[in-house]
């Protein structure tokens, strides 16, 4: 596997370290502060007029004299010595492990030179000179420059020059100073090589350029691209904010099965697996909806689940077969209450994440304060540009779709034809937040039928940036109506609709015990993150997106990088 010439050279260096009784994979890291904390704590040095830091902190008279005493075999309380491959001050090992609590601005130059601060990180830049070297290390928080001098490190400096490479992970001890070029840095007096990297990083400092390789080797992408790491940090914050919002509203977080005996809760093709102990097939969850509504039957009045779903469907910029959602169900409420709750959620996210009211998304600027509501049919007419006479006639609509080359089946219902028209002419035009309401009942098998018009459902979907973000409705709680709708879905499946829903008699039986009037909604976490981080592809917000299998020759990939 490790046949590349560059890799073999690095393996030889790791072996050479072992020959010198130095472990290239140590596990004794000491950390006093992160790189960002170091830069913040000692940032005053860059503008401190009273400290002649640009010159005095580079002088090594004191350390040189200490090193001379060590070489002469003399005794000195602060005499330098080497233990394994780390340089310490004698009688000072415990002090090296502690962060100084003194306020930095109260310290003199001498006090700063006596500081012993441990930092860690991956080497991202390396410049080796005669008796001095500069490296830049990166931890999760920031990049920090390190200055090494042979005067302080002695034989360890030779080891550093011989074995250290970009990609290695190090632990460095030293004191803060500012270089002649004005960069706040750490002047090293101690050093450990924690992890030897045997696979070279891409040569370009700013990261990978092969998009597919970035997704396949996300670990390299994260090493090389700080912006990618920021996206996933923000994703974590978004999920935390969503959870906190619903907890603060009194919702109970629950967990429901991921292996289902019957797939349900959405129109989608499931993944199938086999349970050996039970000797029966199971389906990976396509939605948690039917289990969450069983909990409403059981007496809980407000529940939510942040869940992983699996749908055996196509892959594109907005679909991944494994994805994250939040689904929540609220007893004694309607879909209109959910619309208001969703507006509150977006305001909460904007405030919590310090986002402006207008955010960029691709070539658009989206106003998160501008929510509008429009019916399904009206959107096809006013936004899609389809004549109202066509929209209101099933035969005319079918002929129009066929002439417009919009794929549809001759068995498609009127509601399904409207759905084709909406997808083709409306969805991508919904840039600012738009609630589409009054969905056709025959494409809403789990939603409550409207009291005003039995052909439509008390349902909405929220679209932002040309994509569906949320789907919600007043829940159907009439068990007889639900049974008939399941039968209609089964009939569609028998005609070849692979995404039609299965019959779930246990769920119908649960409804027979009585479910309070309830409103329920699902929000796609991945698409929400795409929106708030300005990423047009779902693969950019999923750490390890699904990719087509391919044989990987790692050595040839490395050669292409080089």
């Amino acid at each position: 596997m490790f046949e590349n010439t560059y890799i073999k050279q690095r393996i030889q260096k790791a072996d050479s370290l072992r020959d010198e009784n130095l472990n290239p994979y140590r596990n004794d890291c000491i950390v006093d502060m992160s790189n960002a904390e170091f830069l913040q704590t000692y940032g005053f040095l860059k503008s401190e007029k009273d400290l002649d830091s640009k010159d005095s902190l580079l002088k090594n008279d004191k350390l040189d004299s200490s090193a001379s005493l060590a070489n002469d075999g003399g005794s000195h309380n602060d005499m330098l010595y080497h233990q394994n491959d780390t340089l310490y001050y004698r009688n000072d090992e415990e002090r090296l492990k502690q962060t100084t609590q003194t306020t930095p601005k109260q310290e003199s130059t001498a006090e700063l030179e006596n500081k012993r601060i441990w930092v860690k990180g991956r080497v991202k830049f390396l410049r080796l000179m005669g008796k001095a070297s500069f490296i830049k290390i990166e931890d999760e928080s920031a990049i920090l420059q390190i200055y090494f001098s042979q005067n302080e490190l002695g034989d360890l400096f030779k080891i550093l020059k011989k074995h250290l490479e970009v990609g290695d992970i190090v632990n460095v001890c030293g004191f803060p100073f500012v270089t002649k070029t004005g960069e706040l840095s750490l002047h090293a007096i101690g050093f450990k090589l924690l992890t030897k990297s045997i696979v070279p990083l891409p040569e370009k400092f700013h990261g990978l350029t092969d998009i597919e390789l970035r997704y396949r080797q996300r670990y390299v992408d994260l090493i090389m691209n700080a912006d990618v790491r920021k996206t996933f940090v923000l994703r974590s914050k978004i999920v935390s904010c969503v959870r906190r919002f619903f907890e603060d509203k009194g919702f109970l977080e629950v967990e429901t099965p991921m292996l289902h005996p019957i797939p349900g809760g959405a129109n989608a093709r499931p993944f199938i697996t086999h349970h050996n102990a039970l000797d029966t097939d199971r389906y990976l969850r396509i939605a948690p909806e039917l289990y969450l509504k069983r909990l409403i039957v059981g007496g809980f009045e407000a529940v939510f689940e942040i869940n992983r779903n699996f749908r055996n469907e196509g892959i594109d910029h907005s679909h991944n077969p494994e994805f994250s959602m939040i689904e929540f169900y609220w007893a004694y409420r309607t879909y209109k209450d959910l619309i208001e709750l969703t507006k509150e959620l977006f305001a909460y996210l904007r405030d919590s994440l310090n986002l402006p009211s207008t955010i960029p998304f691709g070539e658009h600027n989206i106003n998160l304060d501008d929510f509008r509501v429009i019916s399904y049919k009206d959107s096809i007419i006013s936004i899609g540009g389809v004549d109202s006479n066509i929209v209101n006639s099933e035969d005319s609509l079918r002929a129009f779709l066929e002439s417009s080359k919009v794929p549809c089946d001759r068995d498609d219902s009127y509601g399904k034809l409207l759905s084709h028209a909406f997808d083709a002419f409306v969805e991508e035009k919904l840039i600012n937040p738009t609630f589409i309401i009054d969905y056709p009942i025959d494409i809403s098998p789990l939603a409550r039928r409207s009291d005003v018009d039995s052909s439509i459902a008390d349902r909405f979907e929220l679209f932002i940036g040309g994509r569906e973000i949320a789907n919600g409705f007043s829940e159907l709680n009439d068990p007889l109506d639900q049974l008939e709708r399941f039968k209609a879905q089964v009939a569609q499946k028998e005609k070849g609709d692979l995404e039609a829903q299965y019959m779930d008699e246990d769920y119908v039986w649960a409804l027979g015990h009585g479910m309070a009037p309830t409103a329920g909604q699902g929000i796609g976490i991945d698409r929400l993150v795409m929106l708030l981080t300005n990423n047009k592809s779902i693969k950019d917000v999923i750490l390890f997106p699904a990719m087509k299998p391919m044989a990987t020759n790692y050595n040839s990939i490395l050669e292409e990088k080089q």
Side-chain angles (χ1 to χ4, degrees):
M1 182 176 184
F2 298 116
E3 300 300 325
N4 180 272
T5 301
Y6 299 104
I7 293 178
K8 289 181 178 180
Q9 291 173 352
R10 286 180 172 235
I11 292 175
Q12 289 174 355
K13 290 188 177 184
D15 291 339
S16 177
L17 286 168
R18 293 187 178 97
D19 292 340
E20 299 180 41
N21 294 320
L22 302 175
N23 186 354
Y25 301 99
R26 300 177 59 148
N27 192 21
D28 58 348
C29 183
I30 303 171
V31 180
D32 290 324
M33 59 180 64
S34 69
N35 292 350
E37 290 171 334
F38 178 93
L39 295 171
Q40 181 178 7
T41 301
Y42 299 103
F44 72 92
L45 288 174
K46 296 180 69 174
S47 58
E48 184 65 60
K49 296 181 180 179
D50 295 334
L51 289 176
D52 190 17
S53 57
K54 290 187 178 180
D55 295 317
S56 65
L57 290 183
L58 280 172
K59 293 180 180 179
N60 301 308
D61 295 342
K62 180 178 179 180
L63 292 173
D64 286 343
S65 62
S66 297
S68 298
L69 285 170
N71 294 332
D72 292 339
S75 61
H76 192 281
N77 287 337
D78 285 327
M79 183 170 63
L80 294 168
Y81 77 109
H82 289 85
Q83 177 175 307
N84 295 328
D85 57 345
T86 306
L87 179 145
Y88 294 106
Y89 277 177
R90 194 175 301 280
N91 300 325
D92 203 23
E93 187 168 351
E94 288 303 313
R95 182 164 66 86
L96 292 177
K97 299 178 182 179
Q98 300 174 1
T99 303
T100 304
Q101 301 298 318
T102 310
T103 302
K105 285 194 176 184
Q106 296 176 346
E107 296 168 326
S108 66
T109 301
E111 288 173 326
L112 286 170
E113 289 179 353
N114 285 328
K115 280 188 141 335
R116 301 297 173 254
I117 302 165
W118 283 98
V119 296
K120 88 297 185 190
R122 184 185 296 272
V123 178
K124 299 298 291 290
F125 172 82
L126 178 63
R127 185 173 68 183
L128 300 176
M129 299 174 283
K131 295 184 178 181
S133 296
F134 283 95
I135 69 171
K136 292 189 176 183
I137 63 172
E138 184 176 30
D139 68 0
E140 192 176 30
S141 67
I143 293 178
L144 176 64
Q145 180 168 273
I146 310 293
Y147 170 74
F148 294 105
S149 171
Q150 185 174 352
N151 291 335
E152 284 81 49
L153 298 182
D155 291 340
L156 187 58
F157 183 78
K158 298 178 182 178
I159 295 173
L160 180 151
K161 288 189 67 174
K162 181 179 178 182
H163 297 289
L164 188 65
E165 295 174 290
V166 170
D168 293 346
I169 300 174
V170 297
N171 194 193
V172 187
C173 176
F175 59 86
F177 82 109
V178 177
T179 65
K180 291 181 179 180
T181 59
E183 183 168 357
L184 177 59
S185 307
L186 183 85
H187 189 132
I189 60 94
F191 167 83
K192 301 177 190 179
L193 177 59
L194 296 177
T195 302
K196 183 64 185 172
S197 170
I198 64 171
V199 178
L201 295 176
E203 286 186 351
K204 292 184 178 180
F205 184 79
H206 295 292
L208 297 174
T209 55
D210 186 322
I211 299 298
E212 182 162 322
L213 187 59
R214 285 179 50 210
Y215 299 144
R216 291 185 182 278
Q217 297 186 13
R218 181 68 85 184
Y219 41 90
V220 182
D221 189 28
L222 292 169
I223 290 172
M224 301 305 296
N225 295 318
D227 287 342
V228 173
R229 295 198 301 273
K230 291 177 183 178
T231 291
F232 289 104
V233 169
L234 184 53
R235 178 190 173 108
S236 179
K237 291 179 180 178
I238 291 169
V239 173
S240 295
C241 287
V242 170
R243 174 177 282 111
R244 192 179 313 119
F245 174 82
F246 283 97
E247 289 176 339
D248 291 346
K249 289 289 184 180
F251 284 73
L252 176 70
E253 183 171 13
V254 297
E255 295 174 300
T256 61
M258 294 183 69
L259 291 176
H260 290 188
I262 300 172
N267 290 60
R269 296 180 65 180
F271 288 94
I272 305 174
T273 187
H274 188 77
H275 195 298
N276 291 331
L278 298 178
D279 191 24
T280 185
D281 285 344
R282 284 288 185 264
Y283 301 88
L284 293 184
R285 174 171 62 194
I286 59 175
E289 177 172 343
L290 301 187
Y291 281 98
L292 291 172
K293 288 194 285 193
R294 285 175 170 96
L295 297 180
I296 300 295
V297 172
F300 291 110
E301 296 184 0
V303 296
F304 78 93
E305 181 174 11
I306 297 177
N307 55 80
R308 301 290 285 177
N309 295 321
F310 307 86
R311 298 182 183 178
N312 198 355
E313 301 171 340
I315 300 174
D316 59 28
H317 287 302
S318 60
H319 293 87
N320 193 68
E322 178 181 357
F323 62 98
S324 298
M325 287 184 66
I326 178 172
E327 287 205 17
F328 51 95
Y329 293 83
W330 204 6
Y332 308 105
R333 303 286 179 156
T334 72
Y335 78 99
K336 294 180 181 179
D337 297 309
L338 294 183
I339 288 177
E340 296 306 313
L341 185 69
T342 304
K343 292 178 183 178
E344 289 182 39
L345 173 62
F346 272 86
Y348 179 83
L349 289 172
R350 193 179 67 240
D351 292 342
S352 300
L353 300 171
N354 296 316
L355 298 175
S357 58
T358 300
I359 61 172
F361 187 65
E363 65 275 19
H364 302 291
N365 289 314
I366 295 175
N367 186 350
L368 295 180
D369 287 333
D370 180 22
F371 286 85
R372 62 172 173 166
V373 179
I374 185 172
S375 74
Y376 202 80
K377 279 188 176 181
D378 286 346
S379 72
I380 298 174
I381 297 168
S382 63
I383 299 174
V386 182
D387 187 89
S388 61
N389 293 322
I390 294 175
V391 171
N392 290 312
S393 168
E394 180 176 348
D395 292 338
S396 297
L397 181 58
R398 187 184 302 276
F400 173 76
L401 292 174
E402 290 175 354
S403 65
S404 301
K405 308 299 182 183
V406 176
C408 55
D409 190 88
R410 66 180 182 179
D411 293 325
D412 284 343
S413 65
Y414 177 45
K416 192 72 172 177
L417 295 176
L418 289 171
S419 175
H420 292 319
F422 181 89
D423 293 345
F425 304 113
V426 180
E427 182 171 354
E428 67 179 14
K429 299 176 182 178
L430 301 175
I431 305 304
N432 279 327
T434 305
F435 291 101
I436 301 294
I437 63 172
D438 298 342
Y439 271 67
I441 195 68
D442 44 345
I443 61 170
S444 310
L446 298 171
R448 184 180 185 277
R449 197 181 300 270
S450 170
D451 292 330
V452 177
D453 183 348
S454 61
S455 69
I456 63 174
D458 287 341
R459 175 187 174 189
F460 73 86
E461 286 189 355
L462 172 63
F463 292 85
I464 308 177
R467 293 190 176 99
E468 175 199 342
I469 299 295
N471 180 24
F473 41 81
S474 297
E475 301 294 337
L476 174 61
N477 61 349
D478 180 343
L480 299 179
D481 192 354
Q482 182 64 80
L483 180 61
E484 292 304 313
R485 297 213 212 165
F486 274 148
K487 288 180 179 179
Q489 287 288 302
V490 171
Q492 289 296 318
K493 185 173 288 293
E494 290 174 350
K495 292 180 179 179
D497 186 348
L498 298 177
E499 294 186 354
Q501 296 193 28
Y502 290 71
M503 171 64 72
D504 190 337
E505 292 183 347
D506 182 76
Y507 174 68
V508 176
W509 189 254
L511 289 184
H513 290 78
M515 183 176 78
T518 299
Q521 182 174 339
I523 299 175
I525 295 293
D526 305 310
R527 292 187 183 182
L528 179 63
V529 175
M530 289 170 62
L531 172 68
L532 299 181
T533 60
N534 191 17
N535 278 293
K536 298 288 283 186
S537 172
I538 196 170
K539 292 181 179 180
D540 289 323
V541 299
I542 295 176
L543 280 167
F544 300 101
M547 303 291 290
K548 183 178 180 180
M550 61 179 293
T552 303
N553 185 329
Y554 291 95
N555 292 290
S556 64
I557 290 176
L558 181 61
E559 289 169 1
E560 290 175 4
K561 290 181 189 176
Q562 299 298 331

